[in-house]
Amino acid sequence: MSQTTSKRTTTLAGEEVTYEVSRSDDATQPRIDVGIDGITVVVPSDAHEDPEAILSENTAWVLDKKAKFDDYREDVPDRAFEPGESFPYLGEAHELVVEPRQKSVVENGTIRIRQSAVEQSSVKRALRNFYRRQAREHLSDRLVHFADEMGLEYDGLEIRNQRTRWGSCSTNGTISLNWRLLMAPEDIVDYVVVHELAHLREPNHTDTFWSLVAEHDPRYEEHAEWLEEHSARLVFSREDL
């Protein structure tokens, strides 16, 4: 596999746009990727298409996607990783406390982190590790609950740290969930769990799939909309962008 990347600038509908061109042996046809990282035109290594022409042909779509991700970046919280600051835990604000203790816990509206864990790394890393551990425990419990309720079996749980994806279901039955879900309200967490479990029965987003989701989360449309509108709140750190 071979891939080369270069950065360029062009103007689309009067707006200056910076983008990357990625020439890849794996690509079979040109495509445009727009995400948190920016805009990338991916073309096959032996292709002769002009990347700028590809962007120009899709100007409206590119600018619309770019505007959405620009707004997303502006909505990301500027968190200070210091004791006394507030962090969301299952949708509720919790004060961060660092103190000598045997185990980090959530207690009475606070997240209480072991001082020794902070001394070994940093407040930020200790808090991130705590979230991940808590996510595995909470998400495991919800998976067991809904798998039983839905009459489904999954092969295992993977906790991941993805920028824009909240969950996935592999063909072998492994459910992957984003640890940052632990910062979302509980009903949002449950929606994602039900969504991914439903893929065990129906891989695609068919009417049958959505009917199954609705059976176990009647407010799934509201929950999906919340996640779409407020996902920037669940970014742990601006460095993750």
Side-chain angles (χ1 to χ4, degrees), residues 111-217:
I111 299 175
R112 313 187 82 83
I113 300 295
R114 286 189 301 118
Q115 185 173 321
S116 59
V118 171
E119 291 171 348
Q120 291 168 11
S121 54
S122 65
V123 170
K124 182 178 179 180
R125 180 168 293 183
L127 181 60
R128 185 194 299 267
N129 290 342
F130 175 71
Y131 269 121
R132 290 186 68 107
R133 288 194 301 272
Q134 294 294 108
R136 177 167 293 281
E137 181 177 331
H138 184 78
L139 295 173
S140 293
D141 287 346
R142 302 315 289 162
L143 272 173
V144 169
H145 170 81
F146 282 109
D148 181 64
E149 185 178 284
M150 298 167 75
L152 297 169
E153 293 184 4
Y154 61 97
D155 194 51
L157 168 65
E158 290 186 1
I159 301 298
R160 294 189 174 181
N161 181 28
Q162 296 166 299
R163 293 182 177 182
T164 58
R165 197 170 188 180
W166 298 109
S168 62
C169 177
S170 70
T171 54
N172 66 7
T174 298
I175 303 293
S176 297
L177 296 170
N178 195 319
W179 68 265
R180 290 190 288 112
L181 280 170
L182 203 66
M183 294 191 284
E186 291 189 65
D187 53 356
I188 305 302
V189 176
D190 285 351
Y191 158 68
V192 175
V193 170
V194 168
H195 185 117
E196 298 310 329
L197 283 170
H199 278 308
L200 292 170
R201 184 172 296 169
E202 180 56 56
N204 301 309
H205 293 122
T206 62
D207 290 343
T208 300
F209 170 86
W210 290 117
S211 293
L212 178 59
V213 172
E215 183 179 343
H216 299 277
D217 182 8

Side-chain angles (χ1 to χ4, degrees), residues 45-56:
S45 296
D46 57 355
H48 299 292
E49 287 92 345
D50 179 8
E52 187 165 337
I54 295 172
L55 283 175
S56 296

